[in-house]
Amino acid sequence: DAKTTQPNSMESNEEEPVHLPCNHSTISGTDYIHWYRQLPSQGPEYVIHGLTSNVNNRMASLAIAEDRKSSTLILHRATLRDAAVYYCIPDSFQKLVFGTGTRLLVSP
Amino acid sequence: EPEVTQTPSHQVTQMGQEVILRCVPISNHLYFYWYRQILGQKVEFLVSFYNNEISEKSEIFDDQFSVERPDGSNFTLKIRSTKLEDSAMYFCASSTVAGTDTQYFGPGTRLTVL
């Protein structure tokens, strides 16, 4: 399984953009990058995924480096509800391998 | 919006007892998973299930654990003889296909073994 590195925690103010980085230098050429988050006392929740090009959905944007060794999850306007642990997870067929993720703190 | 449901939300049991955790995956999904999260630790994969058989399992998923899809809607995790270290949140998830497909998680069952 590809190894990932994420900062332990990040802080943001409400309504400001947040950029959550992830290094995945050992990812293979065909592995997607998935981002999930876990709100307090809840199960993990899908955020976004991508392979090579940048991706957007209603929750976030995902910017993938050209060499695919890193990616950045972008929350365009953080809300209090976005306070969660965010995980970047490379493909690992049949399962998600969670690391320790980045705990995002959002202040009003 | 369809969602994965789990029952019970909290289960308390004595060490050595059997427990069954229940999940109702999203109806058109074909792949089913169990994960667990010990308090303060990472979410860990236990097992994946497809076409009425286990397709992958982790080292954690030993002979004390079993999974079953007893009917068209439920997916269960059984722990035969619970240990103190089985205390954790157990999450069920489902997806339409494996690999890159999105997994949808339930709210979890908190298992407390005394």
Side-chain angles (χ1 to χ4, degrees):
Chain A
D1 299 330
K3 185 173 166 55
T4 60
T5 304
Q6 297 180 255
N8 288 332
S9 65
M10 292 185 67
E11 293 185 27
S12 174
N13 294 317
E14 205 174 4
E15 301 199 2
E16 287 185 356
V18 181
H19 291 233
L20 299 166
C22 178
N23 286 324
H24 35 78
S25 57
T26 60
I27 195 172
S28 79
T30 57
D31 286 347
Y32 279 75
I33 290 293
H34 305 261
W35 283 79
Y36 282 74
R37 70 181 185 181
Q38 188 173 21
L39 278 63
S41 302
Q42 294 191 27
E45 174 188 33
Y46 168 79
V47 178
I48 201 167
H49 75 282
L51 183 61
T52 54
S53 53
N54 297 343
V55 183
N56 301 292
N57 66 19
R58 63 178 177 81
M59 289 181 71
S61 296
L62 178 59
I64 301 173
E66 202 169 322
D67 63 7
R68 294 195 1 101
K69 294 183 183 223
S70 65
S71 61
T72 301
L73 179 70
I74 302 164
L75 306 179
H76 296 285
R77 291 181 65 197
T79 69
L80 296 178
R81 196 191 173 275
D82 291 322
V85 179
Y86 287 79
Y87 303 95
C88 81
I89 305 174
D91 261 349
S92 182
F93 187 70
Q94 300 280 4
K95 64 184 184 283
L96 295 170
V97 179
F98 289 82
T100 53
T102 296
R103 182 173 299 279
L104 176 65
L105 305 169
V106 181
S107 302
Chain B
E1 186 172 322
E3 58 184 19
V4 175
T5 59
Q6 291 185 243
T7 54
S9 57
H10 190 189
Q11 173 94 46
V12 181
T13 189
Q14 296 290 326
M15 191 168 56
Q17 295 296 303
E18 174 183 286
V19 294
I20 298 176
L21 309 183
R22 291 182 167 80
C23 167
V24 179
I26 294 173
S27 63
N28 64 337
H29 285 185
L30 301 177
Y31 287 81
F32 314 109
Y33 312 84
W34 284 101
Y35 293 81
R36 79 172 186 190
Q37 186 174 33
I38 295 170
L39 186 64
Q41 298 188 23
K42 294 189 270 191
V43 177
E44 300 173 289
F45 168 78
L46 292 178
V47 66
S48 59
F49 190 85
Y50 169 71
N51 201 25
N52 279 321
E53 59 183 34
I54 290 172
S55 46
E56 186 172 352
K57 61 183 181 179
S58 72
E59 292 176 355
I60 302 168
F61 195 89
D62 61 21
D63 291 344
Q64 292 298 313
F65 291 88
S66 62
V67 289
E68 191 179 33
R69 189 153 161 82
D71 53 43
S73 59
N74 289 284
F75 179 50
T76 62
L77 174 69
K78 183 193 289 187
I79 309 175
R80 289 193 183 81
S81 178
T82 49
K83 308 184 188 74
L84 295 176
E85 53 265 37
D86 294 327
S87 294
M89 282 291 288
Y90 287 80
F91 297 107
C92 172
S94 68
S95 64
T96 52
V97 296
T100 61
D101 193 49
T102 298
Q103 291 187 22
Y104 293 85
F105 284 77
T109 292
R110 178 171 298 286
L111 176 65
T112 302
V113 182
L114 302 176

